[in-house]
Amino acid sequence: MLAYFADGANWVGPEGIATRLAEHLWYSLLAVCIAALIAFPIGLVVGHTGRGRLVVVTLSNVLRALPSLGIMTLMVLLLGLGLIAPMLALVLIAIPPILAGVYAGIANVDPDTVDAARAMGMKESRIIIQVETPIALPLILGGLRAAVLQVVATAAIAAYVNLGGLGRYIFDGLALYDYARVLVGAVLVTALALALDGLLALGVKRVTPRGLRG
Amino acid sequence: MNWLINNFPSAWELTVEHAYLSFAPTVIGLIVALLLGLALGNRPRPRTIATVLASAMFTVPSLALFVIIPSLLGTGILNPLNVVIALSLYSASLLIRTVFDSLDAVPADALAAAEAMGYSTVRRRLLIDLPLAIPTLAAGLRVAAVTNVSLVSVGAVIGVGGLGQLFTAGYQRDYPDEILAGIIMVLALALVFDRIIAIAAFLLTPWVRAARSAVPRTAGFGGRR
């Protein structure tokens, strides 16, 4: 395995580590962005109004039990190979943590603070954007962090349905009984997950409003 | 749906295997987390270290863990034990925080009362701390169990994993019905696990029903972390 990493030829080219890493990041980023576009507004509205809470909790629980491998393989059979099927599975995985983070963050904002903003004549939409969202930012980013981790982990499975990414090493290695290559893939996915998690943890620390820092 | 009806015996067999592969890690994870939690709960330094290690453990993707474990332990790659060990690690790291939280939530008055009545530490732990921690503990356990049910199916890509084999087989044979059957059974199994834990917690905490308050209800929320 170390020999594989040490050989510079394994890092470049269309099959190289750099390309696979870029593919993995691209799938993950795309999935998290799509999921955020869906989950963010819903979380804001439900958190602000308190309506639909039960639906959000139930939906998140059901989605968490949904097996991503099953969704992915089913969608490939129904829609054909390509980006859409795995993306659908990844988006479904990313929605619950983002939704939970946004919802919990907004719902936990001190009602007195919201009332104060209201008393100052702020419109509801302005309250959400200028008061609740900044205060909720640590929890929102916490949810985003969980989503990124899950998506990076699951994107490794996408190679099973013929997509690129770091999972390629794992599946090619398994098919060829090349155990070193399997480990290369596993180590790279883990390193990527740890690195992204560390970066996002720093981000969470930075955006925490000064008044809320412990 | 037809596939499920026509092949119910073999689907049932896979469901039983799946149930075992997700049940065992949930129980092992709970026991490990409880022992560690009780031992470290009152010591700030080890507790912080345990929490950090647990969250690092969680960043390791499941597929990676499934293939790393055999090389670390010398188990064969097709050994179901790999999946059990990997998911036990996840469950323990997920539950350790829950154990800390649930023990913190035990009212200090109850502990003081037990002490005043002359309870030994062990007896107090078993008869006061643990039972009062059940509601919070159960919420975390439900998350762990459902996550395990869903993650076991990933094991199918390396050749083990109960119902996940319906996904790989259905995919290779271009047969969506079989995959759908697998998804349905996984969801059903997750629901059964979730309900069993919820009902067990309900039955084990008669005082909660009597008081109908006091204990904070943490919604089972927040993903795999």
Side-chain angles (χ1 to χ4, degrees):
Chain A
M1 179 187 84
L2 288 176
Y4 195 97
F5 281 122
D7 187 352
N10 290 326
W11 285 83
V12 290
E15 305 269 292
I17 293 173
T19 315
R20 294 294 183 217
L21 207 61
E23 283 172 347
H24 206 99
L25 276 173
W26 160 239
Y27 302 146
S28 308
L29 191 70
L30 188 62
V32 171
C33 286
I34 297 174
L37 282 179
I38 299 168
F40 206 80
I42 301 177
L44 285 182
V45 170
V46 174
H48 183 73
T49 62
R51 256 176 267 155
R53 206 188 86 87
L54 193 68
V55 180
V56 167
V57 175
T58 316
L59 187 78
S60 298
N61 282 338
V62 171
L63 283 182
R64 185 165 50 215
L66 214 56
S68 41
L69 182 68
I71 300 300
M72 193 138 47
T73 46
L74 182 68
M75 286 306 146
V76 169
L77 293 190
L78 297 180
L79 305 170
L81 284 175
L83 200 58
I84 297 177
M87 210 37 76
L88 206 71
L90 292 180
V91 168
L92 283 179
I93 282 176
I95 286 179
I98 298 179
L99 192 57
V102 176
Y103 162 73
I106 299 288
N108 281 344
V109 173
D110 190 346
D112 287 350
T113 312
V114 179
D115 279 345
R118 216 166 262 149
M120 286 168 66
M122 275 184 157
K123 280 190 299 191
E124 293 301 305
S125 55
R126 253 187 88 195
I127 293 178
I128 295 182
I129 295 167
Q130 293 190 344
V131 179
E132 290 179 324
T133 306
I135 296 178
L137 215 48
L139 272 177
I140 293 176
L141 280 189
L144 205 63
R145 191 173 149 196
V148 167
L149 270 189
Q150 295 199 38
V151 166
V152 167
T154 312
I157 303 170
Y160 185 74
V161 291
N162 282 331
L163 223 62
L166 295 170
R168 271 271 57 97
Y169 295 107
I170 299 180
F171 288 106
D172 291 351
L174 284 174
L176 300 168
Y177 300 103
D178 179 357
Y179 212 67
R181 197 182 301 194
V182 175
L183 280 183
V184 165
V187 168
L188 282 171
V189 180
T190 306
L192 181 64
L194 277 170
L196 286 178
D197 191 52
L199 273 178
L200 284 166
L202 278 181
V204 174
K205 223 173 212 174
R206 293 203 79 170
V207 299
T208 306
R210 209 160 282 150
L212 294 177
R213 279 180 205 168
Chain B
M1 217 49 212
N2 274 330
W3 189 92
L4 189 56
I5 295 160
N6 295 333
N7 297 278
F8 197 75
S10 63
W12 179 248
E13 209 171 291
L14 289 172
T15 309
V16 172
E17 191 195 344
H18 199 108
Y20 163 74
L21 283 174
S22 37
F23 177 76
T26 311
V27 174
I28 297 171
L30 176 66
I31 293 170
V32 172
L34 274 178
L35 291 176
L36 279 175
L38 286 172
L40 307 179
N42 294 324
R43 295 184 216 158
R45 277 287 290 277
R47 179 176 164 154
T48 314
I49 295 171
T51 314
V52 170
L53 280 181
S55 60
M57 180 70 239
F58 240 88
T59 54
V60 180
S62 51
L63 181 59
L65 205 54
F66 290 160
V67 299
I68 290 174
I69 283 180
S71 76
L72 289 180
L73 299 181
T75 42
I77 184 122
L78 283 177
N79 196 332
L81 208 57
N82 301 330
V83 172
V84 173
I85 294 171
L87 295 184
S88 297
L89 283 171
Y90 279 144
S91 306
S93 50
L94 184 88
L95 288 171
I96 185 106
R97 193 175 296 186
T98 312
V99 173
F100 287 149
D101 289 347
S102 62
L103 290 179
D104 289 349
V106 175
D109 290 353
L111 299 182
E115 204 136 314
M117 286 168 71
Y119 274 46
S120 68
T121 312
V122 175
R123 216 172 136 215
R124 200 204 75 197
R125 290 282 202 199
L126 286 177
L127 296 178
I128 311 289
D129 292 41
L130 278 184
L132 287 180
I134 286 177
T136 317
L137 211 53
L141 197 61
R142 283 165 66 181
V143 176
V146 170
T147 312
N148 281 342
V149 172
S150 169
L151 281 181
V152 163
S153 49
V154 173
V157 298
I158 58 161
V160 272
L163 289 165
Q165 282 160 28
L166 295 180
F167 304 151
T168 49
Y171 178 66
Q172 276 150 16
R173 289 162 41 192
D174 203 346
Y175 196 42
D177 246 28
E178 193 173 352
I179 299 177
L180 200 60
I183 296 177
I184 292 170
M185 293 309 276
V186 167
L187 287 179
L189 199 60
L191 186 72
V192 170
F193 272 38
D194 184 74
R195 285 297 89 201
I196 287 177
I197 298 168
I199 291 168
F202 179 79
L203 294 176
L204 285 171
T205 54
W207 59 89
V208 174
R209 269 164 286 154
R212 292 200 73 214
S213 62
V215 183
R217 279 183 56 124
T218 10
F221 217 25
R224 219 184 55 155
R225 324 219 65 224

